[in-house]
Amino acid sequence: HDALPIYSTVGLYGGNFTVRRSLWEPLPSAKVSDDFNAVLTILSSGYRLLYESGAISTELYGRSYADEFRRKRRWVPECLRALTLHPQAMFQRGIAWMLWPHKLLRWATGAILMGLILGTIGGFLQGHVWLLPLLMAEVAGAALFFIGAIAARTRISVPIATAVFWFFYMNLAFTLGILEFMFARQRSGWVSAPRVSASLDSISFPPSKEAAS
């Protein structure tokens, strides 16, 4: 227990985490992220959320770009709805310092970039020629995005272009998720990503602390 939850994290893996019984809260709705709601409950109560390297969980899946897009688009409004249950976390000392840069501003990156692009185009059309280098960089970024999109459809990887496509495509998912939350278009439930099967013999686990010693 710590009044100031530093040395903590603001994320957890939903498939493998442990929480004190006294801190557990039942979900009020299927539209609330159970993982993020648990995070906010723990931190708002003055406790820390710690990473345990000895806890091992294995998940095998064949997630595609489309699967990841749907997951992030669903996840953001669920997290924002959880945040409405713990609004004090956005302004609580210690928690806010972790929450804003790691979660809120990251989800808003797409909207910030869209505002920057529109502002650059508008300013250049109004005669601010000093914006030309920034506009050219944005055009180059758009070109890399489309190259990366074509590469993704053909299941190949193009250096830089694939990374640019991934960055903008995932931020588009975040932005759509925010809009769905704002206009109450969020749907409950989700489609599970396809899994791939493998025997435990094919999975390599890190050595235990006992074995290491």
Side-chain angles (χ1 to χ4, degrees):
H1 185 276
D2 195 335
L4 180 61
I6 58 176
Y7 301 109
S8 178
T9 178
V10 288
L12 55 79
Y13 172 55
N16 187 10
F17 74 95
T18 303
V19 60
R20 291 173 182 261
R21 187 187 300 272
S22 60
L23 295 176
W24 175 255
E25 291 184 357
L27 289 179
S29 168
K31 295 183 177 182
V32 175
S33 169
D34 52 348
D35 301 353
F36 195 55
N37 188 67
V39 168
L40 295 175
T41 301
I42 293 168
L43 295 179
S44 297
S45 300
Y47 286 80
R48 293 184 296 164
L49 193 66
L50 303 178
Y51 171 71
E52 174 52 60
S53 59
I56 299 174
S57 180
T58 301
E59 181 180 9
L60 303 172
Y61 58 84
R63 188 178 291 162
S64 65
Y65 285 105
D67 292 330
E68 189 66 15
F69 184 91
R70 286 190 293 266
R71 187 182 76 86
K72 292 186 182 299
R73 181 176 178 175
R74 168 186 60 82
W75 181 64
V76 168
E78 288 181 354
C79 290
L80 291 175
R81 191 170 292 275
L83 197 58
T84 62
L85 303 177
H86 305 272
Q88 74 282 358
M90 293 187 292
F91 310 101
Q92 191 171 341
R93 186 184 59 166
I95 303 176
W97 177 252
M98 298 182 291
L99 198 60
W100 280 91
H102 188 69
K103 296 293 185 181
L104 299 177
L105 292 179
R106 182 161 64 92
W107 297 337
T109 298
I112 295 173
L113 288 174
M114 188 176 300
L116 177 63
I117 292 172
L118 293 177
T120 302
I121 295 174
F124 182 75
L125 293 177
Q126 291 180 0
H128 298 285
V129 294
W130 60 271
L131 290 172
L132 180 59
L134 183 57
L135 183 62
M136 293 177 63
E138 293 171 353
V139 171
L144 289 171
F145 173 84
F146 286 110
I147 293 173
I150 296 172
R153 291 188 62 86
T154 56
R155 298 182 180 277
I156 62 175
S157 178
V158 178
I160 301 179
T162 296
V164 170
F165 167 72
W166 170 263
F167 175 78
F168 284 102
Y169 193 49
M170 293 303 105
N171 276 291
L172 175 60
F174 285 151
T175 302
L176 291 177
I178 292 174
L179 292 176
E180 289 180 359
F181 171 77
M182 292 176 58
F183 295 100
R185 303 285 299 193
Q186 178 189 1
R187 300 177 182 178
S188 58
W190 68 89
V191 178
S192 298
R195 262 57 177 177
V196 296
S197 60
S199 64
L200 289 177
D201 295 335
S202 65
I203 303 172
S204 60
F205 294 98
S208 63
K209 295 179 180 178
E210 291 77 8
S213 61

